[in-house]
Amino acid sequence: MYNLVVFGAPGSGKGTQSARLIDEYGLYHISTGELLRDHIARGTELGKIADSYISKGNLIPDQLMIDILDDTLANNPQTANGVIFDGFPRTIQQAEALNEMLGKRGSKVHAVVGLEVPEEELIDRLIKRGADSGRSDDNPETIKSRLDVYHNQTAPLRDFYTREGKYYGVKGSGNIDDIFAEIKDKLRPTRPNE
Ligand code: ADP
């Protein structure tokens, strides 16, 4: 079993690198952003609530997000073999809840890979993505609030996981294959039987 958190600012490439890591390690992928966008697309009650936060660039309230995660783990038995958490946790409260959720299942977070990308490049990438993603939150005004939220609420997790001895920072700009290779190198010592 191996649980990996893929961590980084909006536009840092979490989704891209997670997709490769799933193939490489055969883990179950939980992207909270995708999960919420799926609810929005289906017009569910949760989707309506989520949209009111996402379209402004704000985070979904912690307790709601934690309950969704707990449900996802409970309803997908494959998660017991290991998960890539992409976009979760995003606050200290969520990180503490994740430790608890995995702890009560006899497991833990094994490693956190942090994709580190300069601010100007993030803005550039998000504006470009906005042109074809159709995402309601990839517009200049919302991008600014998402980056503010990231700095205020999410970035402190880097210290949180560094203190736990689990943080592996990787330069997230440049060639996608090179970034992936560096992630695998950094994670190798944290992998079971490797
Ligand atoms: P990105 O990191 O590129 O902004 P995501 O798809 O991970 O994209 O997230 C999109 C939005 O979904 C976030 O801005 C936030 O509103 C919401 N969201 C995703 N994950 C969480 C979370 N763990 N806690 C609160 N809100 C979340």
Side-chain angles (χ1 to χ4, degrees):
M1 182 205 286
Y2 184 70
N3 294 308
L4 175 67
V5 171
V6 179
F7 174 81
S12 58
K14 297 187 296 288
T16 305
Q17 296 297 337
S18 295
R20 297 191 171 209
L21 287 161
I22 299 155
D23 287 346
E24 180 78 15
Y25 298 149
L27 300 170
Y28 188 89
H29 184 209
I30 299 179
S31 158
T32 42
E34 272 174 28
L35 195 153
L36 296 168
R37 281 190 291 280
D38 176 60
H39 275 274
I40 295 174
R42 289 189 286 121
T44 66
E45 220 32 63
L46 170 61
K48 286 178 197 143
I49 298 169
D51 193 36
S52 68
Y53 293 95
I54 292 182
S55 58
K56 294 192 190 74
N58 294 325
L59 297 183
I60 271 67
D62 278 334
Q63 197 53 54
L64 178 58
M65 203 65 240
I66 291 164
D67 290 345
I68 294 171
L69 244 287
D70 212 5
D71 272 359
T72 306
L73 293 176
N75 294 327
N76 296 281
Q78 323 87 290
T79 56
N81 297 325
V83 176
I84 291 188
F85 295 93
D86 161 5
F88 185 95
R90 258 178 157 92
T91 64
I92 299 281
Q93 198 186 327
Q94 291 182 13
E96 284 168 347
L98 182 61
N99 281 350
E100 206 172 299
M101 280 187 269
L102 293 174
K104 77 181 181 201
R105 293 173 167 87
S107 191
K108 61 173 186 173
V109 170
H110 293 81
V112 177
V113 58
L115 296 166
E116 297 171 355
V117 177
E119 186 92 0
E120 317 79 71
E121 189 173 337
L122 292 173
I123 298 173
D124 217 48
R125 287 186 188 181
L126 289 166
I127 289 176
K128 286 206 183 97
R129 184 171 80 184
D132 42 38
S133 72
R135 275 175 56 164
S136 66
D137 58 350
D138 280 346
N139 61 75
E141 203 173 307
T142 312
I143 288 169
K144 191 181 172 312
S145 21
R146 284 158 64 205
L147 289 170
D148 287 346
V149 166
Y150 172 76
H151 290 300
N152 295 328
Q153 296 183 254
T154 308
L157 288 177
R158 187 183 158 155
D159 284 348
F160 177 94
Y161 283 119
T162 301
R163 275 196 300 277
E164 292 197 345
K166 292 177 180 168
Y167 185 83
Y168 298 84
V170 168
K171 188 165 146 286
S173 37
N175 179 287
I176 292 175
D177 293 332
D178 294 344
I179 300 168
F180 184 55
E182 192 183 340
I183 294 175
K184 279 193 299 180
D185 269 0
K186 289 237 164 113
L187 292 181
R188 195 158 291 122
T190 74
R191 302 267 311 142
N193 315 318
E194 272 186 39

